[in-house]
Amino acid sequence: MSTLPLSDLDAFATIARLRSFRAAGKLRGVSASSLSEAMRRLETHLGVRLFNRTTRSVTLTDAGERLLERLRPSLAEIETAIDAINNLRDRPVGRLRLNVPGIVARCILPDIAGRFLAAYPEITMEVSVNDAFVDVLAEGHDAGVRYEEALHQDMIAIPIGPRRQRYVGAAAPSYVARKGVPAHPRDLMDHDAVLHRFSSGRVLTWSFERDGETVTVHPTPRLVAESIDLELAAARSGLGIIFTFEDFLKDDLDRGTLVPVLADWTQEFSGPFLYYPSRRLMPAPLRAFVDFVRQDRSGEDKTRAHQLM
């Protein structure tokens, strides 16, 4: 049997990871049709079907799953070898694959990513958004961003973004005019709520803190969703009170489309962390990003210290 083209095997692994010919083509800078032809060529060469393809989905067959499982270590070794050479260059080149939660993708990463990619024009950043904790290596990512309670002990973690964040409550003026304003978190039991459900299926619990007192409530939901855009729209329309990241609510609070609820009760917690596995040969794009985040944080700390002087 003739040797399989490495490019076809790499293309197969990319399609298998993204579950999409179009997304894989966009990432690799080629057309979906050229990838489809490459996979037909590979399947003909192997004599087995690797993908089940419909107009709506791309899934691996059993043979495809086995091939991907065997390929991952070899492709990882090749990437490591390339990264080792890459480390000898003046400027790192390649892909940086991150997995981040929605709040980070929306409110924290845009500024950091923009400045990082401007500083490293030969690096391509690929971002997947997922609120559940994932095994970054198994899922094909170089690093992830999560909050402290979700970090594994065997991961290296460094702060990224704000060091403290808060959940705050808000509602539409029309809702407040109709239902009144709760004076204490326990009053929320008589109010309607817009709740967030994580991709794991867990629904966010509302916990409020003030002067050392913590109150946890389970209000009656009018809407439960996994989309902050849908949740914000529901709150603006007056369906109920929303309790979420302060960053998500800032624009609405500034415009007055939402007004604060229980403003003296909040839930404060530690900001997110960039986490990655300890590896002797860290990919050059990841090393550059880690150094950038550390320097960024150091610069912010120095500025804050100067402002306090």
Side-chain angles (χ1 to χ4, degrees), residues 222-242:
R222 287 298 311 281
L223 175 75
V224 181
E226 296 180 10
S227 163
I228 186 60
D229 293 310
L230 180 57
E231 294 156 33
L232 287 171
R236 292 186 198 112
S237 69
L239 280 181
I241 295 172
I242 188 171

Side-chain angles (χ1 to χ4, degrees), residues 17-50:
R17 178 163 52 85
L18 297 178
R19 295 295 195 268
S20 168
F21 280 77
R22 179 172 296 180
K26 186 176 181 180
L27 181 63
R28 295 171 65 86
V30 298
S31 66
S33 60
S34 68
L35 287 182
S36 183
E37 176 58 34
M39 291 306 98
R40 280 195 292 269
R41 185 169 59 243
L42 184 60
E43 288 174 334
T44 298
H45 190 101
L46 295 174
V48 294
R49 177 177 296 195
L50 300 174

Side-chain angles (χ1 to χ4, degrees), residues 11 13 21 55-56 64 69 74 153 158 161 206 209 223-224 280 299:
F21 280 77
T55 56
R56 292 176 176 267
E69 184 179 347
S74 299
Q153 294 299 316
I158 62 172
W206 288 10
E209 299 173 4
L223 175 75
V224 181
R280 186 172 59 86

